[in-house]
Amino acid sequence: MSKFSRAVETKNALPSILIVCEGQRTEPNYFKSFPVVNKTVIKGTGRNTLSLVDYAISEKKKGDYDQTWCVFDEDSRTQDFDNAIKKCSSNDIFPAYSNESFELWYVLHFEDIQSYTGLTRHQYCSKLDAHLPTKRKKDKPKYCKNDENNYNRLLPYQDTAIQRAKRLESQYPISIPFHQRKPITSVHKLVEELNKFLK
C-alpha cells in the first residue's frame, strides 16, 4: 500500500463530529479554533436547552456524523436543563453543559472553583477580566465573549482547567438533579475529544 493510500485510509477513519451550540458566537468561535484534522461541523443556533437538543437530533439524522455534541448552559429553566441532558443521553448525543455559564469553563483555567460557590454569569466575566492577559487599553475589558482568540489565550492553561473540571464534577452525588449541581461543567469532555484530533 502506498503512503498516499495509507494517508487517505487514516483520514477516512477519523470520526466526523457535529457540535451544536446554544450561543451563536461565543462557543462556536472557541470550538472552531481547535486545529483538528477530522471533519468537525460547528453550528451556533441561538436556541436553548430542549429546543437545542431537538435541533441537534434533527441535524444528526440529516448528516453522517459519528458523534453529535450539544453545548448549552443552565438558564433558570431548571426542568428544561435537566430534561435536555436526559434527552441527549437517550438520543446518543453528548451534552457539554455548564451551570451556570460557559464562562465557568474559561475561569477554571485560572481558578480552582469549588462547589456551591453560587457565582453569577457576571461574576465569571469579571473574574476573566482580572485573569486574562491583554494588550488592550486599561479602560477596556480584557474578556470579550466573542473574541476569536479566546482559544489561544486559554490554551496554555487548558490541562489545568480539565483537571479542575473533572474534580468539580466528581464532587456531586449522582442523586443530585443536574440543575442543583452548581457550579459544574462537562465542556472538558468535548475539549478532550477534540484534542484527540489536533494537527
Side-chain angles (χ1 to χ4, degrees):
M1 184 184 291
S2 70
K3 286 183 180 179
F4 176 76
S5 297
R6 282 196 297 270
V8 169
E9 186 177 280
T10 301
K11 185 175 181 181
N12 290 339
L14 293 172
S16 59
I17 300 175
L18 171 64
I19 303 171
V20 178
C21 301
E22 182 176 41
Q24 293 179 298
R25 293 179 64 192
T26 303
E27 297 93 335
N29 285 349
Y30 176 70
F31 291 115
K32 284 177 182 175
S33 298
F34 280 72
V36 294
V37 294
N38 66 317
K39 177 187 174 186
T40 300
V41 176
I42 301 165
K43 299 187 177 189
T45 68
R47 291 172 168 85
N48 58 25
T49 51
L50 283 172
S51 63
L52 180 75
V53 177
D54 289 337
Y55 176 79
I57 292 168
S58 173
E59 291 299 299
K60 179 184 174 185
K61 289 177 182 175
K62 291 180 195 174
D64 184 22
Y65 301 104
D66 296 300
Q67 298 179 27
T68 302
W69 291 77
C70 264
V71 182
F72 57 92
D73 299 341
E74 199 287 320
D75 54 7
S76 300
R77 298 180 185 87
T78 56
Q79 201 64 39
D80 283 359
F81 183 70
D82 291 358
N83 288 335
I85 295 169
K86 292 172 185 174
K87 195 168 191 177
C88 280
S89 180
S90 63
N91 286 276
D92 295 322
I93 293 173
F94 299 97
Y97 57 84
S98 299
N99 190 1
E100 102 178 33
S101 164
F102 183 76
E103 278 75 19
L104 166 60
W105 164 244
Y106 285 177
V107 170
L108 288 174
H109 289 68
F110 305 102
E111 288 187 37
D112 193 6
I113 302 292
Q114 298 299 313
S115 59
Y116 311 113
T117 54
L119 294 174
T120 65
R121 294 168 187 270
H122 177 73
Q123 288 170 315
Y124 285 123
C125 293
S126 294
K127 282 182 174 291
L128 290 169
D129 273 343
H131 287 299
L132 280 170
T134 186
K135 293 180 181 177
R136 296 174 187 256
K137 295 178 181 177
K138 291 182 181 178
D139 60 338
K140 298 281 186 183
K142 295 179 183 179
Y143 173 62
C144 176
K145 288 174 68 71
N146 303 322
D147 191 335
E148 294 180 356
N149 198 38
N150 281 334
Y151 169 82
N152 290 321
R153 297 170 82 192
L154 295 166
L155 185 58
Y157 318 101
Q158 189 186 93
D159 288 343
T160 299
I162 289 171
Q163 294 310 311
R164 287 173 174 166
K166 287 179 178 179
R167 191 160 55 246
L168 185 60
E169 190 177 39
S170 71
Q171 293 178 8
Y172 296 97
I174 198 167
S175 59
I176 296 180
F178 291 107
H179 71 273
Q180 290 181 5
R181 302 178 198 183
K182 182 179 179 181
I184 194 170
T185 183
S186 64
V187 171
H188 64 282
K189 295 177 181 178
L190 175 52
V191 169
E192 287 186 307
E193 189 63 24
L194 293 175
N195 283 344
K196 295 176 184 177
F197 311 110
L198 296 181
K199 292 177 183 175

